[in-house]
Amino acid sequence: MLKVNVDTVLWVIRSTREFHAKEEVVFPDDSLEGNDGDWAMQVLADHGSDMTLQELRMGMSGLEPAQQAELLALKWLGRGDYGPEEWEEARREAMDNWCPEMMDRLIATPLISEYLLEALDILGIEHEE
């Protein structure tokens, strides 16, 4: 069902939780997703030496574009932008919107770990946190 391995999704969940839990990671109030991803790049640039962030970037950059896009589609599904019956549409839309900066924007998304977990639950994919 998924192009990205469930273990990879769970690793992203654990790693983003670890990164976001750090006291010095602060997201701007206007960080809701829009066409302007500058806020995400700025937040991540401010923490470029963080080992968790470096590992996340390295691991996620090793994914194929279709796998990266699927993580975005999972975020949308878990956030409620798409329903379970719209999963294939979300995947297509995410692939159409794929860009090299996508993973940085995904990492910088507040609540990303919760969105991904919710998406796995919606799709009925068994997992252990």
Side-chain angles (χ1 to χ4, degrees), residues 9-123:
V9 177
L10 294 173
W11 172 80
V12 170
I13 290 167
R14 286 189 302 274
S15 297
T16 54
R17 275 187 177 160
E18 182 180 330
F19 175 66
H20 288 238
K22 296 180 180 188
E23 287 183 25
E24 67 273 7
V25 178
V26 178
F27 295 93
D29 290 336
D30 63 347
S31 65
L32 296 176
E33 195 167 352
N35 291 335
D36 185 13
D38 290 342
W39 66 268
M41 300 310 176
Q42 183 59 46
V43 167
L44 297 181
D46 290 346
H47 303 283
S49 62
D50 184 277
M51 289 303 294
T52 302
L53 176 58
Q54 289 177 17
E55 289 174 14
L56 260 167
R57 281 179 158 163
M58 223 176 352
M60 292 172 86
S61 69
L63 298 174
E64 296 293 324
Q67 294 171 314
Q68 292 178 0
E70 195 164 75
L71 285 172
L72 177 61
L74 286 168
K75 177 187 99 167
W76 290 340
L77 180 66
R79 191 172 64 183
D81 298 334
Y82 289 87
E85 68 285 352
E86 300 170 301
W87 173 237
E88 289 304 320
E89 180 184 342
R91 287 166 93 172
R92 281 190 303 277
E93 181 75 19
M95 195 62 212
D96 289 345
N97 286 291
W98 182 88
C99 68
E101 297 82 25
M102 180 186 293
M103 291 300 92
D104 277 346
R105 291 182 188 148
L106 197 72
I107 293 168
T109 301
L111 302 177
I112 186 59
S113 58
E114 284 73 20
Y115 295 148
L116 294 176
L117 274 175
E118 180 66 20
L120 293 177
D121 291 341
I122 289 169
L123 293 174

